[in-house]
Amino acid sequence: MVQDNDRQDASGPMIRFQKVKKSFGDVHVLRELDLDVATAERISIIGASGSGKTTLLRILMTLEEPNSGVIYVDGEPLWHKKVNGELVEADEKHLRKMRGKIGMVFQQFNLFPHMKVLRNVTEAPIHVLGTPRDKAEARAKELLDMVGLADKMDNYPSQLSGGQQQRVAIARALAMQPKVMLFDEITAALDPELVGEVLGVMRQLAHETQMTMLIVTHEMGFARDVSHRIVFLHEGQVLEEGPPEKIFTNPDHPRTREFLSRVLEH
Amino acid sequence: MVTFDWEFAWEILPQLLEAMVVTIEATVVGFAFAAVLGLLLALGRRSETWWISRPAGAIVEFVRSTPLLVQLFFLFYVLPRYGVRLPAFVVGVIGLGLHYGSYTSEVYRAGIDAIARGQWEAATALNFSQRHKWTKIILPQAIPPMLPALGNYLVAMFKETPLLAAITVVEMFQRAKIISSLTFRPLEPYTLVGVLFFVLSFPSALLIQRLEARFGTR
Ligand SMILES: Nc1ncnc2c1ncn2[C@@H]1O[C@H](COP(=O)(O)OP(=O)(O)OP(=O)(O)O)[C@@H](O)[C@H]1O
Ligand SMILES: [Mg+2]
């Protein structure tokens, strides 16, 4: 399905996993996983607990290093550098360059508790991208407005509800203008009545931007609405993938069927 | 029985206050050194490079396991034999800083370890440089809760400055010793020294208690 180690051109996928393996001790989490995600494509990754969804995203965010395989982001190897046509392990400089293309929103929000909301959003643009403060703040206000929190910019994260914190976290990630956004069960830590406001922001984002998105979620209705494609992960491999209509109504694989009947029950 | 001679006490007070400036200078400079060194040692111990982490760990363990007085004597009497000749006050400040730096490094270590992993990961996801991760994200969160523990070491160091008398620094205690040996009256100088120490360290201890209440004890 993929040519080995070939340089990806502009028409290639935004993300390419090529035989990626990851294990923690004896636990094989990703087993020669292959996956392509096109530019501007939104995929939802579903699968049972422990199937490797979080690990997949964390490897893309460079929070976890794969044991083998190659990952391309925007045509460039993520964990490797090309030296004389050979792939060698990436150094910190290369990783930082690649990280600039990717943003992530976490299940636990991970806002910076010692900074007000506005500064949570402006800090990285100012210190990482070198954006002038006034420009960064203007942009941050736009983003906070978009997530419905313009009136909270002078609050500390601890003064916000979980849903509000998660919306700030989305704004914070967007402020870095990544090409790819990763969302790891971003509503899983929320009280049920707060899930809707966060998914609302996500739906809006899906409609208004052309960002490539990898979404890990247990909210099947939401996944169906916003995704171009559903990827079903099973024991560290892509077992089945396809458009939402197909996967949710008529999946090929019995395991997919079994998984969906289990999660759609409640 | 000797009675307390108020007039004599009043007479020697200016000399003691003058020496107290030396005590305070030694404390402030010594603690500034300890605070910076402690942070460097804590960062050093966390380093992935063994030739940084090992020596940093060794320094901390060694310094913490040997008495300050012995360290001061070593710095003051042994180093000059190898050509390192420094004024007594400087040696004293280095000794205090080194000794307390090895203690504060443990405070920093615990404080840094207390920061949730998610903070590091969010900082990585936002592509902060290693330096900015520390200066913008981790240390500003880690340091405020450390203040009570650091404050306790500051007061402890202040109360150990009389050890500098042993290497000829004329701080408050040494001044009292000199006065008492010249006048044969130990009561007033030593009492005054005790009172002066109390006047400075007791309010500091209260202040630290308030910090503790604010940040929670650890
Ligand atoms: N840092 C780690 N150390 C050891 N094992 C880990 C680590 N991270 C993940 N694992 C293990 O890897 C496997 C896959 O974990 P992962 O978090 O990727 O699953 P997941 O699909 O996101 O599951 P969930 O739906 O529960 O979030 C699990 O068995 C998990 O226990
Ligand atoms: Mg997970």
Side-chain angles (χ1 to χ4, degrees):
Chain A
M1 160 182 149
V2 286
Q3 329 100 308
D4 251 19
N5 298 347
D6 260 341
R7 195 185 160 75
Q8 311 293 311
D9 55 50
S11 61
M14 177 59 84
I15 305 275
R16 166 161 287 178
F17 278 70
Q18 209 167 268
K19 290 192 168 39
V20 173
K21 277 198 206 175
K22 176 68 185 177
S23 46
F24 295 104
D26 295 342
V27 189
H28 298 279
V29 182
L30 299 186
R31 299 184 307 161
E32 304 218 333
L33 179 121
D34 289 318
L35 175 68
D36 278 12
V37 184
T39 301
E41 190 183 19
R42 290 186 296 278
I43 69 163
S44 284
I45 302 167
I46 62 172
S49 178
S51 57
K53 307 180 295 294
T54 295
T55 304
L56 188 158
L57 295 191
R58 288 173 58 82
I59 288 176
L60 260 183
M61 194 63 259
T62 71
L63 298 173
E64 216 81 70
E65 190 172 353
N67 299 112
S68 65
V70 187
I71 298 163
Y72 293 91
V73 176
D74 199 19
E76 278 185 89
L78 174 67
W79 279 101
H80 302 82
K81 254 183 15 168
K82 272 229 171 106
V83 177
N84 304 328
E86 294 216 16
L87 290 182
V88 299
E89 205 179 324
D91 51 17
E92 181 63 18
K93 187 167 160 240
H94 178 77
L95 288 176
R96 281 204 75 205
K97 175 178 145 206
M98 298 303 288
R99 272 181 211 129
K101 301 171 188 281
I102 308 166
M104 182 161 180
V105 182
F106 300 86
Q107 186 174 332
Q108 298 298 337
F109 332 138
N110 296 340
L111 292 182
F112 304 129
H114 59 300
M115 297 177 190
K116 288 179 178 171
V117 164
L118 183 69
R119 220 178 122 209
N120 259 280
V121 182
T122 58
E123 195 72 355
I126 290 172
H127 294 293
V128 179
L129 303 178
T131 312
R133 182 170 300 272
D134 51 347
K135 247 178 105 182
E137 289 187 349
R139 173 87 183 117
K141 284 172 192 168
E142 276 173 34
L143 288 166
L144 287 170
D145 196 39
M146 189 198 92
V147 300
L149 290 172
D151 56 330
K152 298 288 184 198
M153 63 182 194
D154 287 324
N155 288 70
Y156 282 97
S158 59
Q159 298 168 311
L160 306 185
S161 73
Q164 291 172 330
Q165 291 190 48
Q166 194 59 296
R167 286 186 278 150
V168 174
I170 293 170
R172 180 176 73 170
L174 290 174
M176 293 299 281
Q177 300 180 290
K179 295 189 168 182
V180 182
M181 278 276 275
L182 314 176
F183 300 91
D184 188 16
E185 297 202 40
I186 64 169
T187 57
L190 299 177
D191 292 336
E193 72 271 19
L194 301 177
V195 169
E197 63 189 56
V198 173
L199 293 186
V201 166
M202 291 292 290
R203 283 174 206 270
Q204 190 188 344
L205 204 59
H207 285 124
E208 292 176 4
T209 68
Q210 286 292 306
M211 230 178 328
T212 309
M213 294 190 194
L214 279 70
I215 303 165
V216 170
T217 184
H218 284 301
E219 303 283 339
M220 295 303 153
F222 163 73
R224 187 179 191 141
D225 293 348
V226 302
S227 316
H228 299 112
R229 184 160 53 114
I230 305 292
V231 172
F232 177 64
L233 218 59
H234 180 73
E235 293 179 354
Q237 287 186 317
V238 177
L239 196 62
E240 182 167 0
E241 55 183 317
E245 312 83 64
K246 163 110 172 68
I247 300 289
F248 285 119
T249 54
N250 188 25
D252 288 335
H253 208 287
R255 286 210 196 275
T256 317
R257 227 169 279 197
E258 191 192 327
F259 171 77
L260 286 172
S261 69
R262 226 175 335 119
V263 292
L264 292 175
E265 249 166 44
H266 35 255
Chain B
M1 227 195 72
V2 198
T3 52
F4 194 89
D5 183 342
W6 288 98
E7 208 170 303
F8 175 61
W10 186 246
E11 196 179 300
I12 62 171
L13 184 61
Q15 293 179 59
L16 288 173
L17 287 177
E18 211 172 290
M20 187 168 85
V21 174
V22 177
T23 296
I24 291 173
E25 278 171 359
T27 307
V28 170
V29 181
F31 199 74
F33 182 33
V36 173
L37 180 70
L39 179 58
L40 294 178
L41 286 171
L43 296 181
R45 288 187 90 168
R46 295 177 62 94
S47 169
E48 278 161 21
T49 317
W50 70 268
W51 53 264
I52 296 176
S53 61
R54 294 274 191 78
I59 291 171
V60 170
E61 293 309 329
F62 179 78
V63 173
R64 272 157 42 103
S65 313
T66 49
L68 175 56
L69 187 59
V70 176
Q71 291 160 12
L72 289 171
F73 267 57
F74 184 88
L75 293 173
F76 192 65
Y77 294 108
V78 179
L79 286 190
R81 310 241 156 173
Y82 297 92
V84 186
R85 230 171 286 272
L86 295 166
F89 179 82
V90 175
V91 170
V93 162
I94 291 173
L96 287 172
L98 203 58
H99 193 76
Y100 279 88
S102 69
Y103 282 96
T104 57
S105 80
E106 292 294 295
V107 176
Y108 285 112
R109 183 157 78 144
I112 290 164
D113 286 350
I115 301 300
R117 200 182 61 163
Q119 292 292 307
W120 290 96
E121 295 185 343
T124 300
L126 289 165
N127 208 8
F128 280 103
S129 65
Q130 203 59 21
R131 183 168 67 91
H132 279 142
K133 275 185 202 173
W134 283 106
T135 59
K136 304 289 175 189
I137 313 297
I138 303 302
L139 291 179
Q141 291 183 62
I143 287 177
M146 294 175 195
L147 292 179
L150 291 177
N152 282 328
Y153 280 123
L154 173 64
V155 174
M157 176 193 273
F158 174 61
K159 290 187 294 185
E160 287 218 281
T161 52
L163 287 176
L164 301 193
I167 57 165
T168 77
V169 176
V170 187
E171 42 63 71
M172 202 160 38
F173 176 66
Q174 177 80 324
R175 176 57 66 204
K177 263 172 73 184
I178 293 168
I179 294 169
S180 109
S181 63
L182 289 177
T183 60
F184 302 104
R185 287 199 69 98
L187 175 63
E188 292 80 7
Y190 291 133
T191 306
L192 281 179
V193 166
V195 169
L196 289 173
F197 266 107
F198 177 81
V199 163
L200 282 176
S201 63
F202 187 65
S204 310
L206 290 183
L207 189 75
I208 291 161
Q209 272 176 24
R210 287 193 32 198
L211 281 178
E212 255 163 15
R214 172 140 174 228
F215 296 113
T217 22
R218 30 178 65 240

